[in-house]
Amino acid sequence: MRTPGSATAQRIDLPVEGMTCAACATRIGRGLAKLDGVESADVNLAANRATITYDPARAEPEAFRRTVESLGYSVPDEDDDTDIGDRRLRSITWRLLVAAGLTVPLTLIAMVPPLMFDGWPWLAFVLATPVVFVSGFAFHRAALINARHGTATMDTLVSLGTLAAWTWSTIALLFLGAGDAPVPMDGMGSMAGEDGVHVYYETAAVIITLILLGKWFEARATRRSGDALRALATLGAKTVHLDDGTEIPVDSLEVGDHFVVRPGERVATDGVVVSGRSAVDLSMITGEPVPVEVGPGDAVVGATVNTNGHLVVAATRVGSDTALAQIVRLVDQAQGSRAPVQRLADRVAGIFVPVVLVIAAGTVAGWLLTGHPASDAFSAAVAVLIIACPCALGLATPTAIMVGTGRAAQLGIIIKGGEVLEETRQIDIVVLDKTGTVTEGRMTLVSSVTDPDAPDDVVALAASLEHLSEHPIARAVASASDHHQPVGSFENLPGRGVTGLVGSTAVAVGRRSLFSSIGADLDRAATEAEADGRTTVLAGTGPAGSVPERATALFVVADTVKVTSAEAVAALHGLELEVVLLTGDNQRTAESVGREVGVDRVVAEVLPEDKVREIEALQRAGHRVAMVGDGINDAPALALADLGIAIGTGTDVAIEASDLTLVRGDLRAVADAIALSRRTLATIKGNLFWAFAYNVAAIPLAALGVLDPMIAAGTMAFSSVFVVTNSLRLRRFRGRFSTDPTPTPTRPDPTVAAAAPGAPNPHESEHPVP
């Protein structure tokens, strides 16, 4: 369902560097939302991006940059080609290597008594200091920036915990005699000097190392969550050969240019075949490995693969207007969006860190007031600070959305935003348009019947005559023969049919009113066909110079039901959804189609505005409605429905109005789209449950001293890795009907499907057949 906004609103994606947790994202989002003219600001931690909708008359992008930087984060320059995720991964990697290299010997010395020696705490100081202040510098810097702005984030907790451990240990080493002599390890997992004063150097170092290790796994996994979009963006050709033999960069191609596509090459851009015939591999669009035959006049989509023939193509769309570019843009926008369920996590993250600081202070006070040693109180407070880091909360939703929408793109399903995932959970009725959605959207010849006394060539003669007409029904009749003879004296009789001279034979094709008589067999066949909602066309012949009066041949034509539609309806029923057929066609035809595919209810003879009223009536009755359509006349209903699903072979208007786009004309993909959306939402909820449950359960244990600070650090790191890994399981989703493309020897294996929202569709609206 389209989200309302001002008519002049614009959208901008701003890269943001330096975010480390959900509290960071929440803080940036709140700061941007306060700016005058900003309608909404969604900050995606996993994608390192802020998506801002604003009124250009009241706000400007430069103000967004200044706001982000004033909050302590950075906005990379537009000409910086290095991905933020790559830079973050490299930074974490070298910091982790330094930390691990120093922490391993430090931990062995501090926790294995045979390795201790006189004055070992001094070596512990030397080893731990670079870990805390070099590997952990980013935590302390972020905490300081946050403190200047009166806020706290995950970095605040890590910084306070590790600095507290290091500071206490250094004071004990320099002033309390902790370094004078080695002693056995105590029950808390840290070492004491001769006066029983504890040092926690290994605790500080291990906390930094484990958190960096978790962030390293998290960064690698998060990078994988965006693989689908990156693979999609690299599918296009880099150079193109013009028909004059010149090779130019594909970016220099202009609309109208003719270019050559040789066997095994990718089609450079969207276009129309000018000459040549071949089979084009559309697996990146349809998800199906079977190539499609194309010839002069057929549309081809950029980045698809020409398997065998030699084609000359005229460019119709270039650059950002191509189907591939549109789909990259749609998927990118979806991956930057938030699901409404994330709002709860954002609210919690915004207050979580301050609450944890209060709990940590209360922990120290509680232990001291109950007579416990200061070292025990200190250890419990550090554990509370470390284990409460809300990293998992910030990753729970965006990583699932990134993986889910990317996987959907591979299967030819374009999900436009996180809010779409929420809508699918509540859908209980699916409303299907008929023409182009349930049916093929074009008239085809079903059968032909001739009288026993009819000339043998009556079918071929009628096909030749109808070949001159552009009417959809005439095209169906013309398909009865592959060889068409020249026609003379062609005459169109409005409302009745056509007549003409084919060779030396007069031929007439049209309605019953065009003929004075019809054979009993033909009459019976026509009546039966019309009862099934099909259209009948009669034909007769006579000597040259006469007007045929008797019909001797019957053609039955219909907008045939797609072979997959009945299976699609059954799959929707399997998801416990009611299915309604909504069409502008006549009642008899609609009911015939409805019976054939097995829908629950048929609503026929409705105008586009009537479709909107039908959707509204269902919503008033308490239903959550999904609408599936492909034509211009479906756009209002698609926009009004709780979930609008456009068939990708339809019009741009319908696709723009929808929430989900199915890039194939196969209605079965609706069931796969809904199933994947539900799976993604379930993954988000599972992630959030784990993040919340982990903190709720672990903080009390840490406050009671059950969890050592080092164990707390490892557990906190594991929770983030778990959330990201759980999201990555969506990459293995297999729909009942959507399959990955199978690689062919002529090309590399494309791992991502894309859509062709600009593919032409001559049947943009429904018209009852006369």
Side-chain angles (χ1 to χ4, degrees):
M1 187 174 179
R2 304 273 62 80
T3 302
S6 65
T8 59
Q10 294 184 7
R11 178 184 184 275
I12 185 174
D13 289 327
L14 201 67
V16 178
E17 196 164 10
M19 293 188 295
T20 57
C21 69
C24 297
T26 300
R27 183 166 156 239
I28 295 173
R30 287 177 177 173
L32 291 170
K34 291 178 182 177
L35 296 177
D36 183 49
V38 173
E39 296 184 3
S40 66
D42 292 335
V43 182
N44 188 319
L45 174 63
N48 297 293
R49 180 173 64 214
T51 300
I52 307 158
T53 303
Y54 67 101
D55 182 353
R58 300 164 53 205
E60 58 179 17
E62 188 58 34
F64 308 149
R65 175 187 289 268
R66 290 194 299 267
T67 299
V68 171
E69 292 176 346
S70 70
L71 293 172
Y73 305 90
S74 61
V75 179
D77 295 331
E78 293 182 2
D79 57 356
D80 188 348
D81 294 331
T82 307
D83 185 89
I84 294 176
D86 289 336
R87 284 203 299 272
R88 180 169 182 262
L89 181 59
R90 285 199 298 269
S91 173
I92 293 173
T93 299
W94 77 259
R95 289 162 55 200
L96 175 61
L97 291 175
V98 171
L102 297 174
T103 299
V104 169
L106 168 61
T107 304
L108 291 175
I109 293 172
M111 302 190 72
V112 180
L115 297 179
M116 294 179 183
F117 52 86
D118 290 343
W120 69 266
W122 292 98
L123 178 59
F125 166 78
V126 172
L127 294 174
T129 299
V131 177
V132 173
F133 292 99
V134 177
S135 294
F137 173 75
F139 299 120
H140 310 314
R141 177 180 178 275
L144 182 61
I145 293 173
N146 292 330
R148 286 210 308 262
H149 290 88
T151 60
T153 67
M154 180 274 289
D155 301 296
T156 305
L157 302 181
V158 175
S159 179
L160 284 177
T162 55
L163 285 178
W166 183 90
T167 301
W168 171 271
S169 300
T170 302
I171 291 174
L173 181 66
L174 296 177
F175 305 109
L176 303 179
D180 293 344
V183 295
M185 184 172 64
D186 69 1
M188 293 298 296
S190 56
M191 297 303 301
E194 62 180 359
D195 296 327
V197 179
H198 293 267
V199 292
Y200 294 92
Y201 285 122
E202 77 283 359
T203 298
V206 169
I207 287 172
I208 293 281
T209 303
L210 287 177
I211 290 176
L212 286 175
L213 180 62
K215 286 188 170 295
W216 184 77
F217 281 117
E218 168 196 312
R220 287 191 65 200
T222 302
R223 290 289 295 152
R224 290 178 61 198
S225 69
D227 283 348
L229 182 60
R230 286 187 289 273
L232 187 63
T234 59
L235 283 179
K238 301 298 183 290
T239 61
V240 57
H241 292 87
L242 300 180
D243 57 353
D244 61 3
T246 307
E247 183 177 5
I248 62 172
V250 72
D251 293 340
S252 301
L253 201 61
E254 297 180 357
V255 173
D257 285 346
H258 288 199
F259 60 91
V260 175
V261 188
R262 294 174 293 197
E265 288 185 342
R266 292 189 181 275
V267 179
T269 192
D270 298 357
V272 176
V273 177
V274 176
S275 64
R277 290 189 175 276
S278 181
V280 175
D281 186 342
L282 301 178
S283 57
M284 62 158 282
I285 298 174
T286 64
E288 299 295 338
V290 181
V292 176
E293 296 291 334
V294 296
D298 290 332
V300 290
V301 180
T304 55
V305 179
N306 178 25
T307 60
N308 48 34
H310 185 280
L311 298 174
V312 176
V313 178
T316 57
R317 294 186 179 189
V318 296
S320 61
D321 293 330
T322 64
L324 179 61
Q326 290 180 41
I327 295 311
V328 170
R329 189 159 55 246
L330 285 172
V331 177
D332 185 49
Q333 290 176 6
Q335 294 192 342
S337 67
R338 294 187 305 169
V341 70
Q342 175 68 13
R343 293 169 188 155
L344 175 60
D346 290 344
R347 288 195 296 269
V348 170
I351 62 173
F352 192 73
V353 175
V355 169
V356 169
L357 293 176
V358 172
I359 293 175
T363 298
V364 172
W367 280 71
L368 293 176
L369 291 174
T370 54
H372 290 83
S375 59
D376 292 349
F378 170 79
S379 179
V382 169
V384 169
L385 290 174
I386 298 305
I387 205 164
C389 295
C391 298
L393 282 179
L395 295 167
T397 296
T399 52
I401 289 178
M402 290 178 71
V403 179
T405 54
R407 180 57 183 157
Q410 290 178 319
L411 299 177
I413 302 165
I414 307 304
I415 302 174
K416 290 191 176 179
E419 66 279 0
V420 174
L421 304 173
E422 292 272 10
E423 295 295 345
T424 60
R425 177 174 59 89
Q426 302 178 26
I427 294 300
D428 59 355
I429 287 184
V430 177
V431 176
L432 305 176
D433 168 51
K434 183 180 74 69
T435 304
T437 302
V438 175
T439 65
E440 296 288 351
R442 62 180 182 275
M443 304 301 289
T444 57
L445 181 65
V446 177
S447 63
S448 60
V449 182
T450 58
D451 265 353
D453 58 348
D456 294 337
D457 58 352
V458 63
V459 171
L461 293 173
S464 296
L465 181 64
E466 289 283 63
H467 184 62
L468 292 186
S469 175
E470 293 298 322
H471 194 281
I473 295 177
R475 291 178 181 174
V477 174
S479 68
S481 175
D482 294 331
H483 303 288
H484 300 116
Q485 305 174 44
V487 176
S489 304
F490 180 85
E491 183 180 3
N492 182 29
L493 305 175
R496 299 178 66 199
V498 294
T499 62
L501 191 64
V502 182
S504 59
T505 304
V507 183
V509 183
R511 295 176 179 268
R512 288 175 180 261
S513 59
L514 187 60
F515 303 93
S516 58
S517 65
I518 177 175
D521 291 342
L522 294 187
D523 186 47
R524 188 182 311 107
T527 301
E528 292 174 354
E530 290 167 357
D532 290 334
R534 293 173 173 174
T535 301
T536 57
V537 179
L538 298 171
T541 59
S546 67
V547 177
E549 296 182 353
R550 178 178 173 79
T552 57
L554 170 71
F555 298 91
V556 179
V557 299
D559 180 8
T560 56
V561 173
K562 294 177 181 178
V563 295
T564 58
S565 292
E567 192 175 5
V569 172
L572 292 173
H573 284 153
L575 293 172
E576 299 182 351
L577 299 170
E578 182 182 347
V579 184
V580 177
L581 185 66
L582 185 63
T583 177
D585 212 339
N586 64 74
Q587 187 72 35
R588 187 172 56 188
T589 300
E591 288 180 350
S592 174
V593 171
R595 286 193 301 271
E596 186 172 348
V597 300
V599 300
D600 300 296
R601 187 158 57 91
V602 174
V603 180
E605 299 179 7
V606 292
L607 299 174
E609 56 269 26
D610 296 326
K611 291 187 177 184
V612 170
R613 282 194 286 269
E614 289 291 337
I615 298 294
E616 289 176 334
L618 289 171
Q619 291 172 329
R620 284 195 301 271
H623 294 292
R624 304 289 288 183
V625 183
M627 171 72 190
V628 187
D630 76 326
I632 290 175
N633 62 336
D634 298 321
L638 288 170
L640 177 65
D642 299 292
L643 179 67
I645 304 175
I647 299 293
T649 51
T651 66
D652 289 341
V653 176
I655 291 169
E656 181 61 30
S658 68
D659 303 293
L660 278 170
T661 299
L662 311 177
V663 301
R664 294 179 290 165
D666 189 344
L667 190 61
R668 295 179 302 177
V670 174
D672 282 345
I674 293 176
L676 176 55
S677 295
R678 288 180 174 179
R679 178 80 62 84
T680 304
L681 182 62
T683 300
I684 291 174
K685 290 187 173 183
N687 288 346
L688 289 174
F689 171 80
W690 169 261
F692 281 121
Y694 156 79
N695 286 122
V696 169
I699 289 177
L701 294 176
L704 293 172
V706 176
L707 292 180
D708 180 87
M710 288 185 288
I711 296 176
T715 306
M716 188 279 292
F718 171 77
S719 69
S720 297
V721 176
F722 172 84
V723 163
V724 177
T725 304
N726 187 47
S727 298
L728 288 173
R729 292 191 307 122
L730 289 167
R731 289 160 57 104
R732 300 197 299 269
F733 174 84
R734 294 289 185 273
R736 289 183 57 190
F737 311 108
S738 303
T739 58
D740 286 315
T742 301
T744 63
T746 59
R747 62 177 177 89
D749 179 17
T751 58
V752 184
N761 177 18
H763 309 286
E764 295 175 345
S765 60
E766 297 181 10
H767 300 286
V769 178

